[in-house]
Amino acid sequence: AGCGWGYGSKNGPSHWHEQFPIAKEGSRQSPIELKNAETKYDSSLKPLTLSYDASSAKSLTNTGSSVQVDYEDGTDRLVLTGGPLCGKYRLRQFHFHWGACDDHGSEHILDGTSYSAELHLVHWNAEKYCDFAEAAKAPDGLAVIGVFLKVCNENPALQKMLSSLDCIKKKGSKVEFTDFAPCALLPPCLNYYTYLGSLTTPPLFESVIWIVLKEPITLSSEQMTKFRTLEFTGPDDPMQDNYRPPQPLKCREIRKNFQ
Ligand SMILES: NS(=O)(=O)c1c(F)c(F)c(-n2cc(CC3CCCCC3)nn2)c(F)c1F
Ligand SMILES: [Zn+2]
């Protein structure tokens, strides 16, 4: 069988509809362009609350499309509540999307600006659903916090992960990765935009309540270069430009919790 979906010219985002029709037929696909002037301030939106105990990080994996840190999500360890959400959402994993150069690479675009990378913290609704796979198929099943990465000064919180990338250069490789508090990757200000969307990779399920932070976190250009030392399929195929372009807004509203 041909290689599965990816980000190449033969299996990239413009081909995904061939195996995943929702890519073209969906009504709430992600990512999108965020135009601040067209978003609506909603005073009923609550602040985000991230509960945070000794973190339950498990492993660091090269998934073949991103680098991902998986969490033990059998109990309420890292829980997201508040914001636009009803109930509590458990952190399952976080991963990144980035470009071949620092001037692009994020999935969401904010007022015409592409950032160098974007962090996604993926949570699932553990109050309503039994496990991640079930939640991933429900319209209110997932909540993903998107954080923009901007090349500026070094980010010490990323160093522990980036210094482990040499061990997972190859697709499918995985190493133990513990005691990593994801809150260290958040900016001081948690002002956010929120809208109803989808997974930005196949199967592109329309099950994500997106929460995109307005304030980016920063990292150095050396740290950004480190991401690109990972491989998609082999040594001549560096992992980069693993982002989906913006999708039609259709009849969706984007709200924000700040004026
Ligand atoms: N970019 S994103 O939108 O933040 C994003 C996500 F939110 C995800 F949840 C996944 N995801 C995909 C699966 C396979 C599951 C296999 C069982 C059925 C559901 C999908 N695991 N996690 C994902 F790959 C991704 F890119
Ligand atoms: Zn993602």
Side-chain angles (χ1 to χ4, degrees), residues 18-252:
E18 295 155 15
Q19 199 188 348
F20 304 95
I22 201 169
K24 267 204 168 106
E25 295 165 5
S27 60
R28 53 178 278 193
Q29 289 290 291
S30 290
I32 57 171
E33 283 195 71
L34 300 164
K35 295 171 184 163
N36 186 63
E38 294 167 20
T39 64
K40 186 173 175 351
Y41 168 63
D42 181 343
S43 57
S44 73
L45 284 170
K46 301 182 185 65
L48 293 174
T49 46
L50 286 127
S51 86
Y52 142 71
D53 65 3
S55 83
S56 45
K58 277 192 310 189
S59 57
L60 179 69
T61 305
N62 174 334
T63 64
S65 57
S66 184
V67 55
Q68 182 167 305
V69 173
D70 287 305
Y71 281 79
E72 196 278 315
D73 63 351
T75 62
D76 281 349
R77 303 286 290 269
L78 276 154
V79 171
L80 168 64
T81 55
L85 305 172
C86 304
K88 68 188 166 186
Y89 287 68
R90 242 180 238 165
L91 180 67
R92 170 149 178 115
Q93 51 108 326
F94 67 77
H95 62 273
F96 298 81
H97 304 262
W98 61 91
C101 313
D102 294 354
D103 64 351
H104 69 279
S106 63
E107 298 212 297
H108 291 91
I109 313 277
L110 179 53
D111 285 335
T113 301
S114 272
Y115 286 87
S116 305
E118 189 170 327
L119 159 64
H120 289 158
L121 294 137
V122 181
H123 307 74
W124 59 278
N125 187 335
E127 206 154 277
K128 276 182 78 173
Y129 306 105
C130 303
D131 60 24
F132 172 79
E134 185 196 359
K137 298 182 182 76
D140 61 349
L142 303 182
V144 181
I145 297 178
V147 187
F148 293 119
L149 276 69
K150 184 184 168 90
V151 171
C152 192
N153 38 37
E154 192 188 82
N155 187 326
L158 278 170
Q159 216 34 50
K160 177 179 176 182
M161 185 195 78
L162 293 176
S163 52
S164 305
L165 296 192
D166 293 344
C167 314
I168 57 160
K169 270 172 87 82
K170 299 224 171 307
K171 176 187 168 86
S173 46
K174 180 177 188 169
V175 289
E176 186 182 69
F177 191 77
T178 56
D179 294 325
F180 188 85
C183 304
L185 293 181
L186 298 176
C189 175
L190 296 183
N191 283 345
Y192 62 85
Y193 296 95
T194 183
Y195 75 97
L196 298 180
S198 72
L199 304 185
T200 65
T201 69
L204 300 169
F205 290 158
E206 297 189 329
S207 55
V208 180
I209 297 171
W210 276 97
I211 298 167
V212 180
L213 301 189
K214 176 172 69 67
E215 188 178 323
I217 59 172
T218 60
L219 77 169
S220 66
S221 58
E222 291 75 18
Q223 287 182 307
M224 197 59 247
T225 303
K226 196 74 189 151
F227 277 98
R228 305 184 188 110
T229 63
L230 291 167
E231 297 168 3
F232 271 137
T233 59
D236 54 348
D237 189 16
M239 187 179 281
Q240 55 192 24
D241 290 334
N242 54 346
Y243 62 91
R244 188 190 193 190
Q247 300 303 307
L249 185 61
K250 305 220 165 153
C251 57
R252 287 181 282 183

